[in-house]
Amino acid sequence: MSLSNFMAFLPELVVLTGALILFVIALGENRVRAARLTALGTALAVLVTSLLCFGQEATLFHGAYRVDLFSQVLKLVFAIGFLLILLLSGGLTDIRKDVKPEYFLFLTLSVSGLLMLVSSVDIITLVIALEVSAFPLYLMVPMRRERTGQRVQMESAIKYVMFGIAANGIMLFGMSYLVGLTGTTSLPQMMTRLQPLMHTPLAIVGLALTFAGVFYKLAIFPFHFWTPDVYQGAANETAGLVASLPKVGGVAILIRFASLAAPDHRVVALLLAVLAVGSMFYGNLIALQQKDFKRLLGFSGIAHAGYAVVGFVALDQAGFSAAIYYITGYLLMVLACFVVICRVSRDGLNVGIEELAGLHRRAPLLAVTLAVGVFALAGIPPFVGFMGKLALLKAALAKGYLVLVVIAMVNAAIAVYYYLCVVREAWFRDPGDLPSIHLDWPTRTLCILLIGGILALGIFPARVLKTISSSIDEANLGPRSVPAAVIDDGRGGLVPGETRHLVQGVVP
Amino acid sequence: MSLSYNDTVLSLLIFSPLVAALVAGFIRSENGLRWFTLLVTAALAVFSLPLYSRFDPSTADFQFLINSEWIPALKIRYAIGIDGISLLLVLLTTLIMPLCVLASWRYITTRVREFMICLLVMETAMVGVFCALDFILFFVFWEAMLIPMALLIGVWGGPRKVYASLKFFVYTMSGSVFLLVAIIALYVQVDSWSIPEMMGRPYSEGFQRWVFLAFFISFAIKVPMFPFHTWLPAAHVEAPTAGSVLLASILLKMGTYGFVRFALPITPAAVQFFTPAIMWLSVIAIVYGGFTALAQTDLKKLVAYSSVAHMGFATLGIFALNKAGLEGAVLVMINHGITTGALFIVVGIIYERLHTRELDKTAGMGRNMPIFATFAGVFALSSLAFPGTNSFIGEFLVLAGGFQVSKSMMLFVVPGVVLAAAYMLRMLQRVAYGGTRNPDHSGVKDLCFREIATLTPLLVFVFWIGLHPAPFMRVMETSVQKVLQQAQAGAPVAATPPVAVLP
């Protein structure tokens, strides 16, 4: 391995070293503090190294592993998310005392899996990375403290593992078709070899089955069954992790697989569209009924995964970059909600919506964080949730999916109601006898970071969007969506003679 | 970039309230906050005045333009500028803001800082809506306004504030989701978010109808037009005085502004198709609003339903699609902002003294409050379009425009005009002179200096527009002419080629 290759691989090495140190720490007794500091140090180091390595390119391990702009953008996202989640976890109130160091170990291991996942361009590497990121999570769910009447975490963990393994099995089965058809496990080669075969039923079935594993990660209907139960059963901190980082990873591999079907594959697009519609309606309609805030976020998460898949329906670069942008924003929005859950929660118990009552008096900063997070999830400008939805819908409508876009917007309107109910509790109700909440400085920092991030990504996304779309270009994922005949005259106007897409279903 | 007044004024008007809101977050004293917000909004009002003198009324082009990149990856630009119509609305906004602060001086006693921050954020969004020339920028301001407004109603409102706030939010939001779809559909056709670029394009008629319907749902909810008006009384009644004033004076105008700025120039063919239906809806709104207002015993509800009727005049004028109608409609928008805003302040003054808005219990206040009765009288007369007041000019023009379209339809409007006189005079008679059941209000104090200062500017405008409307008509004339031209392009005769409006 040459030095430059080594440099490109540095973030992964750092996080693995961190995991090893944590393993040693976890061997001893009562080392929670040391473990927490080590994990924080690792997260910072990963962030710094992934910033340092930004822009490097390398191909490692005989072409199975590629470090490019695409993977580095996502690694940066993971590094930031890792740090935010550690700040969110705080003292791990609701994790069994004797396994707290192990909790940090598994968290770090899971992140290492995600970091490797986005660089894998060979499906064997990819599957291994996927498992490395998933298995620690299976173990973290049942680490919640036991108390009388609360053993729901075990049930959740079993559901999580069972569904996870079943989805993985289906995915592997689908991959075996793809490998059988093309005779290669390398994704770039598979892409070229699959092109002529892409319209055969076998290829479509193979791809559809492969998607299953990803849909499980993203909690797309009908692979969502674990979501609400795991959110509810896992400790608040763990649920925050499960809700955020793996979804970014899911979008990343979905891009890898969906680009196999690019540019124009009606059947795959239709499949994705149907699943998107199902997820949006299912998630939003059931979320209307929820009383537990985590369950509500679980169902809203299903709906948001549906929005992200709307971008994939376009099967082009614009749609893929919109999906990455959206899911990055979602990471911040959902963490903003989970900060509130973790801090409002009394002794680590789950938080009912009515327990948020009067939050604007009990902890103004938390109330603002919650409002920003929830309004962003609802897609109100100027937050990132709006810009993300706009980018997604624009990509889908540019390909003529008007009905899908209208359905997505109807869903956004439905969703507003339950998000508003959360805001209503926090802002319009009196606290009653609920205690006020003291925030330590890491929480304050976290809140301000999240609010700032949600606003900045919503108002000034120019750089981010540009980086994401050029990274997808470079990685050869999805064709450019802009028709060549359209030339921007530099003033936002068009020179005459541009091609015009006709919106299907509207123009007779 | 040079830093002349013309190049920076709009951006400063939009973003200085936001900066002020940040600063307000660090002010501790409640009185300090009130003075700070008052000074900021008053300074902005003064700062916006030269817009009028520097505006060139001889051209319909957008002026004070700024057009720079915002999000190149999505082709979204920061494009702002105003024409004669938006000029008047921007000035109305900057004028109303300091009055809102004054009207909340004693009314708001809890969480003053958050209240003032909400007001300032509202100003940013409202001015932004009237200035935006990029459709996404417009939509961002349009939606961003919902949050502070919902908070104004939901935190500082009356007993049913939560219900009213949620209803307002859900109603408006469900309208605007369709607006967003229409915007994206237009973008896909034009490949630009620029509003002037979208005007006058040869879209197919079917496409125009869909887009128009999406526009219509969104704007009709905001106006609100007849079947979509049910959120308005709830929101008005529960909102604090400043919230009611902002709703009535500015927010409702955004619906009609949307029709003028977007529906008429972008989808002219669909406008021709839907005009009769919308004119009838407007007539229904005028009559229905009048009858319902007549039946109210709560003063705020009365004024709220009178709003429905007045906005009916505005939409009637817009869709009459002739010069008198549209000029009248724009004037009605301004007049309604002044008169109804003033009436809500008047009702707020009563409420601060008596803690009730029931017509019976407020009867006879005028005997002990002569100054108040004078102000209330003038604004009530203005609201019923008494000759010599501002509303007379606007509604007269609208009716003149309407008669050019259909005489039989206007026959149905006449009862609406009479009803306006009935409900307003009934209110005035009770409040000023008392009725049969007349409580004793001898302990009530007349208006203080602050309250007089709040109402006087509005009083001046009532008579100014009423007696000498020329300065207001002058600036909008060419812009109105242009909108009409664009709307006529939808008539089956001929389609005009697209006009490049941005430089």
Side-chain angles (χ1 to χ4, degrees):
Chain A
M1 193 188 277
S2 73
L3 187 67
S4 70
N5 283 359
F6 175 78
M7 276 299 291
F9 197 54
L10 203 55
E12 287 90 330
L13 286 179
V14 167
V15 75
L16 284 173
T17 317
L20 275 178
I21 299 174
L22 277 168
F23 176 68
V24 175
I25 290 176
L27 292 176
E29 297 280 326
N30 290 328
R31 289 187 177 162
V32 184
R33 205 181 133 74
R36 181 165 184 231
L37 289 178
T38 315
L40 269 172
T42 313
L44 272 176
V46 175
L47 185 59
V48 171
T49 46
S50 46
L51 276 173
L52 279 179
C53 304
F54 203 81
Q56 299 217 9
E57 290 197 13
T59 309
L60 303 165
F61 312 126
H62 308 287
Y65 199 86
R66 192 161 74 200
V67 180
D68 51 12
L69 195 57
F70 175 72
S71 60
Q72 283 178 328
V73 168
L74 287 162
K75 274 176 204 168
L76 205 57
V77 174
F78 288 134
I80 294 168
F82 186 23
L83 196 63
L84 293 177
I85 282 173
L86 280 170
L87 287 175
L88 174 86
S89 310
L92 296 177
T93 345
D94 206 27
I95 302 298
R96 269 166 50 199
K97 246 204 178 76
D98 52 329
V99 293
K100 279 187 187 179
E102 282 85 348
Y103 186 90
F104 287 113
L105 166 65
F106 288 138
L107 173 58
T108 314
L109 270 178
S110 178
V111 172
S112 79
L114 289 170
L115 289 184
M116 289 187 275
L117 184 68
V118 290
S119 273
S120 309
V121 287
D122 186 291
I123 52 177
I124 294 178
T125 335
L126 195 138
V127 169
I128 291 172
L130 195 62
E131 301 300 303
V132 172
S133 74
F135 272 84
L137 292 178
Y138 298 152
L139 292 169
M140 286 161 81
V141 172
M143 280 183 169
R144 192 178 196 178
R145 204 162 34 155
E146 284 183 34
R147 55 183 121 206
T148 41
Q150 182 184 292
R151 295 216 55 192
V152 66
Q153 65 269 36
M154 297 306 167
E155 185 197 329
S156 312
I158 294 288
K159 274 188 185 158
Y160 198 24
V161 177
M162 295 301 281
F163 279 111
I165 289 181
N168 259 330
I170 300 174
M171 181 174 75
L172 285 171
F173 187 57
M175 283 176 172
S176 73
Y177 276 22
L178 296 180
V179 173
L181 277 171
T182 56
T184 176
T185 55
S186 154
L187 277 169
Q189 284 181 26
M190 194 182 272
M191 204 159 163
T192 45
R193 289 190 201 172
L194 209 55
Q195 266 327 313
L197 302 168
M198 205 47 237
H199 290 270
T200 59
L202 205 57
I204 293 171
V205 169
L207 200 58
L209 293 176
T210 310
F211 282 158
V214 188
F215 289 154
Y216 160 79
K217 280 262 157 205
L218 280 174
I220 294 281
F221 174 87
F223 300 93
H224 64 275
F225 290 104
W226 58 274
T227 314
D229 291 331
V230 170
Y231 278 42
Q232 193 182 14
N236 297 331
E237 299 85 356
T238 321
L241 170 65
V242 170
S244 53
L245 283 184
K247 304 218 171 186
V248 183
V251 166
I253 33 175
L254 191 55
I255 289 180
R256 293 253 184 237
F257 287 123
S259 63
L260 291 176
D264 260 328
H265 198 294
R266 282 283 159 190
V267 182
V268 173
L270 184 69
L271 175 79
L272 290 169
V274 169
L275 293 180
V277 171
S279 300
M280 289 188 286
F281 271 119
Y282 179 88
N284 280 328
L285 289 178
I286 297 193
L288 289 173
Q289 280 295 321
Q290 299 308 315
K291 298 272 175 279
D292 183 307
F293 194 18
K294 274 199 291 177
R295 267 188 97 83
L296 184 143
L297 284 177
F299 285 108
S300 105
I302 296 172
H304 279 277
Y307 297 131
V309 172
V310 170
F312 282 98
V313 174
L315 284 177
D316 62 8
Q317 181 241 27
F320 293 162
S321 9
I324 293 213
Y325 171 56
Y326 190 70
I327 209 74
T328 310
Y330 179 74
L331 174 86
L332 299 179
M333 303 188 265
V334 84
L335 284 181
C337 294
F338 271 101
V339 182
V340 177
I341 293 179
C342 290
R343 296 300 175 267
V344 170
S345 148
R346 279 175 293 185
D347 198 29
L349 283 169
N350 280 4
V351 176
I353 307 236
E354 72 283 355
E355 280 175 61
L356 297 170
L359 197 62
H360 70 294
R361 282 179 192 277
R362 293 156 64 202
L365 184 60
L366 274 189
V368 174
T369 315
L370 180 73
V372 169
V374 162
F375 279 128
L377 284 171
I380 312 275
F383 305 119
V384 61
F386 166 73
M387 276 300 166
K389 276 204 186 83
L390 177 69
L392 288 168
L393 299 184
K394 184 181 152 227
L397 203 51
K399 285 288 189 108
Y401 295 99
L402 178 71
V403 178
L404 182 64
V405 168
V406 171
I407 289 176
M409 284 321 287
V410 168
N411 268 284
I414 298 173
V416 165
Y417 180 73
Y418 62 81
Y419 292 127
L420 271 180
C421 288
V422 175
V423 174
R424 174 182 65 189
E425 293 299 328
W427 282 88
F428 302 162
R429 293 251 192 268
D430 283 329
D433 53 356
L434 291 165
S436 65
I437 299 161
H438 173 74
L439 300 179
D440 52 2
W441 67 263
T443 311
R444 285 174 185 277
T445 320
L446 179 61
C447 288
I448 289 164
L449 281 178
L450 286 169
I451 295 172
I454 291 171
L455 274 172
L457 268 183
I459 303 175
F460 308 107
R463 279 278 299 275
V464 179
L465 275 167
K466 197 165 161 251
T467 316
I468 292 176
S469 61
S470 58
S471 79
I472 286 182
D473 258 0
E474 278 178 31
N476 284 326
L477 299 165
R480 307 259 320 170
S481 55
V482 186
V486 176
I487 305 154
D488 198 312
D489 63 0
R491 295 181 283 116
L494 296 174
V495 294
E498 78 272 39
T499 53
R500 219 173 250 141
H501 317 262
L502 293 182
V503 180
Q504 288 180 351
V506 175
V507 182
Chain B
M1 198 176 115
S2 61
L3 288 172
S4 69
Y5 179 84
N6 282 17
D7 287 336
T8 51
V9 55
L10 292 184
S11 292
L12 280 174
L13 284 181
I14 295 175
F15 293 110
S16 0
L18 206 57
V19 176
L22 285 177
V23 176
F26 297 98
I27 300 179
R28 296 272 160 222
S29 124
E30 291 194 349
N31 261 326
L33 277 159
R34 293 187 179 110
W35 277 108
F36 172 75
T37 322
L38 179 65
L39 285 179
V40 169
T41 48
L44 283 171
V46 173
F47 183 65
S48 67
L49 286 180
L51 273 180
Y52 181 83
S53 52
R54 284 164 184 256
F55 184 83
D56 175 10
S58 63
T59 163
D61 290 349
F62 290 98
Q63 303 179 32
F64 308 103
L65 282 172
I66 297 175
N67 187 7
S68 56
E69 289 210 320
W70 179 20
I71 309 173
L74 297 173
K75 293 198 184 171
I76 300 171
R77 302 180 68 82
Y78 175 71
I80 51 175
I82 49 176
D83 67 353
I85 300 167
S86 31
L87 168 73
L88 290 174
L89 290 165
V90 168
L91 290 176
L92 177 69
T93 312
T94 51
L95 168 79
I96 292 285
M97 280 309 297
L99 306 184
C100 280
V101 181
L102 278 175
S104 328
W105 206 268
R106 292 272 164 269
Y107 189 86
I108 301 297
T109 49
T110 54
R111 314 190 71 78
V112 179
R113 182 184 319 133
E114 287 82 350
F115 184 84
M116 295 303 170
I117 290 177
C118 280
L119 281 187
L120 289 167
V121 175
M122 283 296 287
E123 180 162 17
T124 290
M126 293 185 302
V127 177
V129 159
F130 294 129
C131 294
L133 290 183
D134 181 287
F135 228 140
I136 294 299
L137 187 67
F138 168 84
F139 193 78
V140 167
F141 287 129
W142 170 273
E143 289 276 277
M145 187 181 326
L146 293 182
I147 299 172
M149 193 65 220
L151 289 178
L152 280 180
I153 302 173
V155 177
W156 294 275
R160 290 172 76 221
K161 57 188 182 181
V162 177
Y163 165 77
S165 168
L166 256 65
K167 193 168 180 180
F168 162 76
F169 202 111
V170 171
Y171 242 102
T172 326
M173 178 81 189
S174 37
S176 41
V177 296
F178 295 103
L179 179 62
L180 184 61
V181 176
I183 296 175
I184 303 176
L186 281 167
Y187 167 83
V188 171
Q189 298 254 318
V190 181
D191 203 45
S192 160
W193 301 107
S194 156
I195 293 166
E197 295 261 354
M198 287 178 179
M199 295 173 181
R201 294 260 182 167
Y203 311 109
S204 77
E205 199 164 330
F207 179 76
Q208 288 199 24
R209 283 185 196 169
W210 282 111
V211 170
F212 180 85
L213 281 179
F215 280 164
F216 175 75
I217 291 178
S218 174
F219 297 145
I221 287 176
K222 203 86 167 184
V223 170
M225 290 183 69
F226 163 63
F228 305 105
H229 65 278
T230 55
W231 63 269
L232 185 76
H236 265 321
V237 171
E238 302 306 327
T241 303
S244 295
V245 174
L246 284 184
L247 258 180
S249 300
I250 320 289
L251 262 68
L252 304 194
K253 305 302 157 322
M254 290 175 183
T256 40
Y257 174 76
F259 280 125
V260 177
R261 171 68 70 244
F262 305 114
L264 263 50
I266 295 180
T267 59
V271 167
Q272 301 286 342
F273 180 79
F274 286 109
T275 288
I278 295 177
M279 286 185 79
W280 276 113
L281 280 181
S282 312
V283 173
I284 295 174
I286 294 170
V287 179
Y288 169 88
F291 272 117
T292 327
L294 197 56
Q296 301 305 319
T297 55
D298 181 309
L299 286 172
K300 257 191 169 178
K301 268 196 177 158
L302 194 156
V303 182
Y305 279 109
S306 83
S307 279
V308 175
H310 285 140
M311 293 314 282
F313 274 102
T315 47
L316 184 67
I318 291 171
F319 284 91
L321 296 180
N322 50 39
K323 184 159 178 288
L326 193 51
E327 283 187 349
V330 176
L331 210 54
V332 167
M333 284 154 72
I334 305 296
N335 291 337
H336 179 258
I338 292 165
T339 306
T340 310
L343 281 173
F344 275 119
I345 297 177
V346 164
V347 175
I349 288 172
I350 298 178
Y351 187 76
E352 277 178 49
R353 284 171 171 66
L354 303 180
H355 300 286
T356 177
R357 291 184 302 257
E358 281 300 309
L359 203 48
D360 282 341
K361 293 183 184 149
T362 55
M365 284 180 80
R367 289 186 202 165
N368 303 307
M369 301 173 67
I371 307 176
F372 169 80
T374 315
F375 275 109
V378 172
F379 292 127
L381 287 179
S382 156
S383 180
L384 63 86
F386 195 75
T389 62
N390 54 351
S391 304
F392 174 72
I393 312 282
E395 291 188 13
F396 178 80
L397 280 170
V398 168
L399 285 174
F403 268 109
Q404 290 175 30
V405 177
S406 157
K407 291 196 176 60
S408 54
M409 189 185 279
M410 289 309 112
L411 280 181
F412 290 92
V413 180
V414 176
V417 181
V418 180
L419 279 169
Y423 61 73
M424 272 300 150
L425 289 176
R426 168 171 164 261
M427 178 185 106
L428 187 62
Q429 187 258 338
R430 288 280 181 88
V431 173
Y433 304 108
T436 45
R437 276 173 291 167
N438 188 6
D440 178 34
H441 292 312
S442 47
V444 176
K445 286 208 179 81
D446 207 345
L447 300 191
C448 66
F449 175 74
R450 170 183 61 83
E451 287 160 334
I452 296 176
T454 318
L455 290 172
T456 309
L458 298 169
L459 191 79
V460 170
F461 276 100
V462 165
F463 288 117
W464 189 356
I465 301 179
L467 301 172
H468 185 56
F472 302 90
M473 309 297 283
R474 192 175 63 94
V475 287
M476 68 161 125
E477 205 167 355
T478 41
S479 301
V480 164
Q481 205 61 265
K482 167 94 177 293
V483 171
L484 280 175
Q485 245 174 35
Q486 287 167 321
Q488 297 304 341
V493 193
T496 45
V499 192
V501 181
L502 285 178

